[in-house]
Amino acid sequence: MNKATLSFLFIILSFFSVAQSQKEGVQPNTYLNPVFSGDYPDPSILVDGKDYYMVHSSFEYYPGLLIWHSNDLINWTPVTSALQKYVGSVWAPDMVKYNDKYYIYFPASGTNYVISADKITGPWSDPVELNVTMIDPGHVTDDKGNRYLYFSSGSYVPLSKDGMSITGDIVHSYDGWEIPNEWSIECFCMEGPKLFKHGDYYYLTVAEGGTAGPPTGHMVVSARSKSPLGPWENSPFNPIIRTKTKDEKWCSVGHGTIFEDAEGKWWMMFHGYEKDHYNMGRQTLLLPVEWTKDGWYKIADDADLNNPVNKKIIYPTQKPFTLNDNFEGSTLSPHWRFFGGADSARYKIHNNSITITSKGNSIPESSPLLCMPSDHSYSAQVEVTTNGEAYGGLILFYNKVAYSGILADNLNILCNIRGWQFETEKDVIDGHVFLKIENIDNIVNMYYSLNGTDWIKIENSLEVSGYHHNILSGFMSLRIGLVSFGDGGVTFSNFRYSKL
């Protein structure tokens, strides 16, 4: 990549920041959860001096493992997508820095991988398989620099000095914290080990109770040891955080990472589902933690997930995060993801538009281009030009069996409701149309326009609250998608998103 391309990419990225501190009604130097609104699960955070970097599970969305940067833990800007090569559904990663080199460990397709880079901006290596079948790797080093990976089973393996291979057998070390039998949980399901050292102790933080299921299931559990290899003593404050009733706003809260910020304050980054909005996926949450005199951490006494939290905030000078896209230049904006793998040969960004070659003969075969809405109610619209015998559309997509939206061919407007596809407005266009969806608290109406100003509502509407993991599995979320299938290609321009 030459300097001109890098400069252009930096300019594009500078226009995207998650400015969560600017929420309505929030006072200066306070923030309101979530810090990442929308589907940002299994957060792994790296403190690198005064810089913070975060990465999340990216599942079937590619390019994968999008790294974010912040100076204050509240406002986040995308850096780069570290994973380009498709290796399957990418689950909970762990991002670390060791001897001035960056690593991301992650599970996919029944095994584990590592990628590495000399700079956080990349280039990142292709994934190297570690040949370990457990999930959710968590990296830790001892005082001599020996490296280990923990996994969801409470077991660990030793790592080579370069961090690119395992050097010994799997050793079981931790059994977890016993959950009271009367609690409503999905399963014991220990996962997501994250480790750090503070004072004389190593601390192991895990999730238990199942990542979804009952709102009261998922939780954060802590243990400590004088050795990173155990034996482990469970915290008297377990669970560190847990949803106690189904009436709470944040459900299934868990998968926490404990860290010290650049000013010596301690925090926990974790995730949770939002009541009545499970289809937004697991959103990233942040709360302060405090240390007791006898060396245990717990959520700060004055911290509340539902209320503003005091925090020094560095207000960004760049434009706040937006999904709006004029498709300027030749680089795909970082909020877009192809489902099931990205093929750079399939699309071209030019003349303020993106042309996507058609793939397959239906929405699930098309590998749609997706972005994550951040609001309960929103509208999205796009200009569509179909070429050949292609179908183009604006859809809401959970996975290959759960999707709906509005489509167009050369002549007709079509509707797809849960896989049932039909012409709803016949002979009304000539290869060019504007499409729009409005999602108002999970009730979706769909529109088309010949000029981008005067909108015609089609008769078909959707109810999409059930498009989530507890019903459909897969750990996904309901995303806005651009779809191109059939024979030919589809050109999309002027994508607009707005909160309603």
Side-chain angles (χ1 to χ4, degrees):
M1 187 178 291
N2 58 39
K3 291 183 178 179
T5 303
L6 283 171
S7 297
F8 174 78
L9 181 60
F10 176 79
I11 292 171
I12 290 294
L13 292 178
S14 69
F15 283 92
F16 294 90
S17 66
V18 182
Q20 296 292 349
S21 60
Q22 306 302 313
K23 293 178 181 177
E24 295 178 7
V26 178
Q27 298 298 315
N29 286 316
T30 65
Y31 72 90
L32 186 64
N33 277 297
V35 292
F36 274 81
S37 180
D39 189 27
Y40 295 95
D42 305 325
S44 173
I45 186 164
L46 169 64
V47 181
D48 192 8
K50 293 185 178 181
D51 295 297
Y52 309 103
Y53 298 101
M54 185 147 53
V55 69
H56 305 82
S57 292
S58 51
F59 297 103
E60 289 283 351
Y61 310 117
Y62 279 78
L65 295 174
L66 177 60
I67 299 171
W68 297 80
H69 170 260
S70 177
N71 293 120
D72 62 2
L73 300 174
I74 307 302
N75 299 288
W76 295 87
T77 304
V79 176
T80 188
S81 292
L83 180 63
Q84 304 295 323
K85 183 179 179 180
Y86 181 80
V87 290
S89 184
V90 175
W91 292 11
D94 196 23
M95 180 167 55
V96 299
K97 184 179 183 182
Y98 181 84
N99 282 351
D100 295 323
K101 192 165 186 174
Y102 298 90
Y103 301 82
I104 301 177
Y105 296 90
F106 63 93
S109 301
T111 186
N112 282 267
Y113 294 91
V114 58
I115 55 177
S116 62
D118 293 325
K119 297 180 179 179
I120 197 74
T121 54
W124 285 82
S125 70
D126 280 341
V128 175
E129 187 174 352
L130 295 174
N131 296 305
V132 179
T133 58
M134 298 173 289
I135 63 169
D136 298 4
H139 181 273
V140 66
T141 60
D142 65 16
D143 292 336
K144 297 180 180 179
N146 297 311
R147 308 176 67 176
Y148 304 91
L149 279 185
Y150 267 79
F151 293 92
S152 58
S153 64
S155 302
Y156 67 85
V157 295
L159 275 176
S160 60
K161 288 294 185 181
D162 67 0
M164 304 301 289
S165 63
I166 62 173
T167 59
D169 296 331
I170 297 170
V171 179
H172 184 72
S173 177
Y174 180 59
D175 292 325
W177 179 76
E178 186 175 354
I179 301 173
N181 189 60
E182 62 270 20
W183 289 7
S184 295
I185 63 171
E186 185 177 35
C187 52
F188 176 72
C189 294
M190 188 166 66
E191 61 183 52
K194 294 290 186 287
L195 298 99
F196 66 96
K197 189 178 185 185
H198 177 58
D200 295 330
Y201 287 96
Y202 293 85
Y203 291 83
L204 170 62
T205 304
V206 299
E208 291 181 5
T211 195
T216 55
H218 206 36
M219 65 193 76
V220 175
V221 167
S222 175
R224 72 181 184 186
S225 172
K226 291 290 184 70
S227 165
L229 310 183
W232 297 96
E233 175 191 9
N234 279 314
S235 171
F237 296 99
N238 284 338
I240 303 301
I241 194 169
R242 169 182 174 256
T243 302
K244 295 180 180 179
T245 77
K246 65 181 180 62
D247 298 321
E248 294 182 43
K249 177 180 180 180
W250 291 104
C251 310
S252 301
V253 291
H255 208 103
T257 298
I258 309 298
F259 64 96
E260 184 181 15
D261 70 14
E263 298 179 346
K265 297 181 180 179
W266 287 82
W267 302 87
M268 181 170 70
M269 195 78 75
F270 57 111
H271 68 213
Y273 285 103
E274 187 175 3
K275 186 180 187 302
D276 299 326
H277 295 280
Y278 269 60
N279 59 8
M280 292 183 70
R282 291 166 291 170
Q283 306 182 52
T284 300
L285 311 169
L286 177 69
L287 282 179
V289 300
E290 58 189 20
W291 290 93
T292 66
K293 293 180 179 179
D294 52 354
W296 297 103
Y297 71 82
K298 63 185 183 71
I299 299 297
D301 289 338
D302 59 352
D304 189 325
L305 267 177
N306 300 310
N307 295 325
V309 179
N310 293 325
K311 173 78 177 69
K312 179 181 178 181
I313 294 173
I314 303 172
Y315 293 95
T317 57
Q318 67 265 38
K319 294 181 180 179
F321 177 83
T322 176
L323 296 179
N324 293 337
D325 201 342
N326 289 327
F327 300 105
E328 298 176 352
S330 59
T331 303
L332 190 67
S333 297
H335 59 276
W336 290 110
R337 294 285 182 270
F338 283 96
F339 188 86
D343 180 1
S344 60
R346 190 186 166 210
Y347 68 90
K348 182 179 181 180
I349 299 174
H350 62 121
N351 298 329
N352 291 107
S353 63
I354 181 171
T355 298
I356 304 176
T357 302
S358 298
K359 179 181 178 181
N361 293 304
S362 65
I363 289 175
E365 296 175 335
S366 69
S367 186
L369 181 62
L370 307 173
C371 65
M372 183 65 220
S374 56
D375 301 289
H376 299 159
S377 299
Y378 57 86
S379 70
Q381 66 183 66
V382 69
E383 184 176 357
V384 178
T385 303
T386 56
N387 305 294
E389 301 298 319
Y391 294 84
L394 181 62
I395 64 171
L396 292 176
F397 185 89
Y398 181 84
N399 62 14
K400 290 184 177 182
V401 298
Y403 51 86
S404 299
I406 185 169
L407 308 168
D409 59 17
N410 283 330
L411 297 173
N412 309 298
I413 298 298
L414 302 94
C415 182
N416 191 300
I417 300 179
R418 299 180 298 275
W420 172 36
Q421 187 168 299
F422 53 90
E423 294 174 352
T424 187
E425 300 279 348
K426 297 182 179 181
D427 297 321
V428 293
I429 59 175
D430 185 15
H432 175 263
V433 70
F434 297 82
L435 303 177
K436 180 169 73 170
I437 56 175
E438 288 185 349
N439 183 347
I440 302 177
D441 279 325
N442 293 317
I443 302 299
V444 179
N445 293 317
M446 296 175 282
Y447 305 79
Y448 73 96
S449 172
L450 301 181
N451 57 16
T453 302
D454 302 308
W455 294 95
I456 302 168
K457 179 182 175 297
I458 66 172
E459 70 172 3
N460 316 100
S461 299
L462 309 166
E463 200 284 328
V464 295
S465 62
Y467 285 53
H468 61 78
H469 173 78
N470 274 351
I471 293 175
L472 299 167
S473 298
F475 302 105
M476 303 294 181
S477 59
L478 190 62
R479 301 190 177 214
I480 301 167
L482 307 180
V483 64
S484 172
F485 63 92
D487 185 12
V490 181
T491 298
F492 299 93
S493 309
N494 300 313
F495 180 81
R496 292 290 178 268
Y497 172 93
S498 60
K499 178 180 178 180
L500 296 179

